[in-house]
Amino acid sequence: MEHITLLLGIVIVTALVFDFTNGFHDTANAMATTISTGALKPKTAVAMSAVLNLVGAFLSVEVAKTISGGIVNEDGLKTEVIFAALVGAILWNLLTWLVGLPSSSSHALFGGLIGAAVMSMGWSSINGGTVVTKILIPALAAPLVAGIAAMLATRLTYRIGRNTDTKATAKGYRVGQIASAGLVSLAHGTNDAQKTMGIITLALVTGGVLNPGANPPMWVIVSAGVAIALGTYLGGWRIIRTMGKGLTDLQPQQGFAAQTSAATVILASSHLGFSLSTTQSCSGAVMGAGLGRKGGVVRWSTATRMFVAWGLTLPAAGLVGAGAEFLTKQGPWGIAVTAAILIGGSAVIWALSRRDAIDHTNVTDDEIGGAAKDAEPAGVVTTAIAAVSPPPVGTTAAADASSEDPVKATISAPTTTTTGAMADPARPATV
């Protein structure tokens, strides 16, 4: 610790700020279900998620090692490059939070790091093989695998409970949703908290404090875990609200299957050192669960807008990171200007968010109405898959009655929105 310079200290603090934004940005992945169904009160839900994120941060360091020693070449990497990368990631996280866009914090971090490294040392500084195998391939495979798993799990759940009464089992599935939401939070801690650990470890290596290939020190693990837990506890209410009106409407059985499938994929990837997006994994699982029930509808226009937003995250954060690195290369005054841009931009975004404040007291207001849910008919893919899916528990009449029951789980996966859309929750989201 005694070798940490002022610049290195600034980078460490900035990394923890990113970790904090990551926490409240991704709270919705785990807790939108339990909040929207009333299984847990909003503050209770985010408190539980925060604790489990903290616990998950101590379970593995494989992802941290991928970040600290895999994406970019450490030789010649300067500490200010990491600072520039974090600036790009934080500003993108805050901007997407402002408009309620559940984008990938992971890809924002990767984009910022790649953009800053390329600006500093050229494309040769990027380990293309690692980027492809441990970032790009998981980004494509994770939502697909989670979606298929959730679809199969949903079908199995309905088949097992086909002779039971829907209302009688709703309470049990609600408890299951709480447990599966906790599992997603635990998995999020094992994956996303480690990304900050890896960035801090990389900064310590570039500053000569640690040797290349070293594991994150315990104080790095603790600080990263605490930062993401605090961010989670504050709750990303704007994104949680957005996730209440997105891709599909899920009953309790589907919500349980979706969250369990997503958590399994995230935990497996953490064990293998794959740094995937929890947002994409959870979204894929929700779509799969929506297709797993006969009559389920996935709104593909909303899904398309979400996919476009995902595709923009890495290059957008990369451009900001590259611009920030261009400034930091100018010397101390450039670093000071970059820091001022980060602070000023964050302050402006925060001020804008207060115009339409969303917190635990109003996050469940204006739930999806009939008009919003019926705005888009089932597409060809949805109709084809739903036709061969098992029917809901009981008769059609019973299923219809259950859909009106207050314990029905209504959750939607991430959608893209604009600031204007946040003011009118019933209005379709646009990018």
Side-chain angles (χ1 to χ4, degrees):
M1 296 288 289
E2 64 272 13
H3 298 99
I4 293 180
T5 63
L6 176 60
L7 177 59
L8 186 54
I10 292 174
V11 171
I12 292 172
V13 172
T14 307
L16 294 177
V17 171
F18 166 78
D19 204 24
F20 178 83
T21 66
N22 192 354
F24 70 70
H25 204 279
D26 290 358
T27 307
N29 292 339
M31 289 303 164
T33 300
T34 55
I35 292 174
S36 65
T37 62
L40 286 175
K41 293 182 179 180
K43 294 296 287 185
T44 303
V46 297
M48 184 183 84
S49 182
V51 171
L52 291 174
N53 265 280
L54 178 60
V55 173
F58 291 89
L59 297 184
S60 172
V61 294
E62 292 303 317
V63 174
K65 289 161 65 176
T66 296
I67 302 295
S68 63
I71 297 178
V72 299
N73 296 321
E74 299 174 359
D75 296 337
L77 186 65
K78 298 180 180 180
T79 306
E80 51 264 32
V81 174
I82 302 175
F83 176 59
L86 290 168
V87 170
I90 291 173
L91 289 178
W92 181 256
N93 262 2
L94 292 177
L95 180 62
T96 52
W97 164 77
L98 175 66
V99 298
L101 172 64
S103 66
S104 171
S105 297
S106 305
H107 289 176
L109 179 60
F110 301 148
L113 183 60
I114 292 172
V118 170
M119 175 60 70
S120 175
M121 299 177 292
W123 287 103
S124 61
S125 63
I126 306 300
N127 294 324
T130 300
V131 172
V132 171
T133 58
K134 293 203 171 185
I135 296 178
L136 296 182
I137 291 179
L140 297 174
L144 182 62
V145 172
I148 294 174
M151 183 172 66
L152 295 177
T154 299
R155 293 183 178 184
L156 179 62
T157 299
Y158 277 120
R159 184 173 296 277
I160 292 175
R162 63 183 179 274
N163 296 321
T164 61
D165 179 69
T166 302
K167 293 184 179 181
T169 59
K171 183 177 181 179
Y173 278 114
R174 183 178 273 187
V175 173
Q177 282 182 304
I178 296 175
S180 59
L183 187 60
V184 172
S185 296
L186 186 70
H188 185 265
T190 65
N191 201 279
D192 281 44
Q194 289 188 56
K195 293 161 188 172
T196 299
M197 296 179 203
I199 284 293
I200 295 177
T201 302
L202 183 59
L204 293 173
V205 170
T206 62
V209 178
L210 294 178
N211 295 322
N215 287 332
M218 180 55 65
W219 67 268
V220 172
I221 297 175
V222 172
S223 59
V226 171
I228 200 169
L230 288 175
T232 302
Y233 179 70
L234 283 185
W237 305 113
R238 305 181 76 88
I239 298 177
I240 290 174
R241 184 178 176 183
T242 297
M243 290 183 71
K245 40 188 69 62
L247 292 174
T248 186
D249 305 319
L250 301 184
Q251 295 181 353
Q253 297 94 321
Q254 295 168 281
F256 173 73
Q259 289 181 306
T260 303
S261 300
T264 302
V265 170
I266 297 169
L267 286 171
S269 69
S270 297
H271 177 71
L272 296 173
F274 293 158
S275 184
L276 52 75
S277 166
T278 54
T279 298
Q280 294 177 1
S281 299
C282 291
S283 301
V286 168
M287 284 190 287
L291 294 173
R293 177 176 67 87
K294 187 173 183 180
V297 173
V298 172
R299 301 178 181 91
W300 293 108
S301 64
T302 301
T304 300
R305 291 192 293 269
M306 182 181 66
F307 296 152
V308 171
W310 287 353
L312 289 175
T313 296
L314 193 146
L319 288 174
V320 177
E325 170 56 18
F326 176 78
L327 288 175
T328 60
K329 288 199 303 183
Q330 310 307 315
W333 70 268
I335 296 175
V337 170
T338 303
I341 292 174
L342 174 61
I343 296 173
S346 301
V348 169
I349 292 173
W350 174 258
L352 291 174
S353 72
R354 296 302 87 197
R355 295 181 179 180
D356 183 22
I358 301 173
D359 56 27
H360 68 282
T361 63
N362 63 358
V363 67
T364 56
D365 290 352
D366 299 312
E367 293 290 334
I368 302 177
K373 286 191 277 189
D374 297 333
E376 181 182 342
V380 175
V381 177
T382 300
T383 303
I385 296 180
V388 297
S389 300
V393 179
T395 64
T396 303
D400 292 340
S402 68
S403 68
E404 299 174 359
D405 191 273
V407 300
K408 171 192 169 186
T410 301
I411 180 175
S412 302
T415 69
T416 57
T417 66
T418 62
T419 306
M422 292 304 303
D424 185 1
R427 186 168 58 195
T430 58
V431 174

